Amino acid sequence: LMLSMHRTITRAIADQIERQDMSLKDSLTGLWNRRKLFEVVDEIDNRKSYSLLLIDIDHFKQLNDEKGHQKGDEVLTLISLCIVHCCCPQDLVVRYGGEEFLVLLPGTDIETAASQAESIRREVQSEGLNTVSIGVAQSCMHKDFDAVVSAADRAMYRAKREGRNRVLVDNSDTTDTLT
């Protein structure tokens, strides 16, 4: 009886952990979701440096409108695979919004992050998918996580204004074009 009860409790705990893990993942791409990101952000030691990539799929609404949401879902999934392929195991890859992804790169300097972003951009383009625009920012240049996200977001939108399919790096006072 004790062994049976122990197995039942163990299984219930395992099921709860699995459900909790699933609640932190995006059901379409299998990537972490914002909820997981916020858990990680709460644990970030502000004294440790990290870089952040904000990735947006170019002309995604047009793709959905012209080819349908099923094709849009397929592109989202394939681009998420490209992003993961270009990332390291310690990087946190998150589906941040509809067609936006965020990559948190712990202990990564801005030059390395920009190079990784360029690898992602090239891989997505080489797959013949939609292109992506990527903004890059680093924690040591900003007061908190929200400011880093805002800096990456500004760089990403500038990349879109300057023609899309490019990586821009926020340097707080200047923003440089890589491609």
Side-chain angles (χ1 to χ4, degrees), residues 13 35 60:
I13 292 169
R35 197 165 150 199
F60 188 74

Side-chain angles (χ1 to χ4, degrees), residues 15-68:
D15 288 347
Q16 183 178 357
I17 290 168
E18 187 176 326
R19 276 192 307 277
Q20 182 182 4
D21 189 48
M22 292 304 292
S23 74
L24 300 175
K25 295 232 174 168
D26 174 62
S27 60
L28 177 65
T29 63
L31 297 177
W32 295 113
N33 61 28
R34 287 175 91 127
R35 197 165 150 199
K36 174 67 173 182
L37 173 66
F38 296 135
E39 275 186 14
V40 170
V41 168
D42 287 343
E43 297 168 8
I44 288 177
D45 182 346
N46 287 329
R47 294 166 297 180
K48 291 195 177 148
S49 179
Y50 62 89
S51 290
L52 191 138
L53 311 180
L54 203 54
I55 304 165
D56 189 75
I57 302 173
D58 297 328
H59 304 292
F60 188 74
K61 182 184 181 325
Q62 184 179 346
L63 171 82
N64 268 338
D65 290 348
E66 291 176 5
K67 297 188 178 175

Side-chain angles (χ1 to χ4, degrees), residues 52-172:
L52 191 138
L53 311 180
L54 203 54
I55 304 165
D56 189 75
I57 302 173
D58 297 328
H59 304 292
F60 188 74
K61 182 184 181 325
Q62 184 179 346
L63 171 82
N64 268 338
D65 290 348
E66 291 176 5
K67 297 188 178 175
H69 290 279
Q70 188 171 359
K71 181 66 175 174
D73 287 352
E74 182 183 317
V75 167
L76 279 167
T77 302
L78 292 171
I79 288 177
S80 70
L81 290 171
C82 290
I83 294 168
V84 169
H85 180 256
C86 294
C87 289
C88 302
Q90 72 271 13
D91 300 339
L92 181 73
V93 182
V94 176
R95 181 163 178 208
Y96 193 63
E99 69 270 12
E100 284 188 343
F101 302 90
L102 182 148
V103 182
L104 183 70
L105 307 162
T108 304
D109 63 48
I110 196 89
E111 292 82 15
T112 305
S115 176
Q116 192 168 338
E118 180 59 23
S119 294
I120 291 168
R121 187 199 66 76
R122 277 195 311 262
E123 178 143 339
V124 169
Q125 186 176 18
S126 75
E127 290 294 323
L129 305 167
N130 278 37
T131 57
V132 293
S133 297
I134 306 175
V136 184
Q138 189 175 22
S139 62
C140 64
M141 299 179 187
H142 302 282
K143 66 178 175 30
D144 59 24
F145 182 79
D146 289 339
V148 180
V149 172
S150 292
D153 193 51
R154 284 191 305 274
M156 182 194 66
Y157 276 102
R158 187 165 159 231
K160 289 191 161 300
R161 284 193 308 275
E162 292 182 10
R164 294 181 168 82
N165 190 27
R166 65 190 65 225
V167 173
L168 288 182
V169 177
D170 167 76
N171 288 329
S172 288

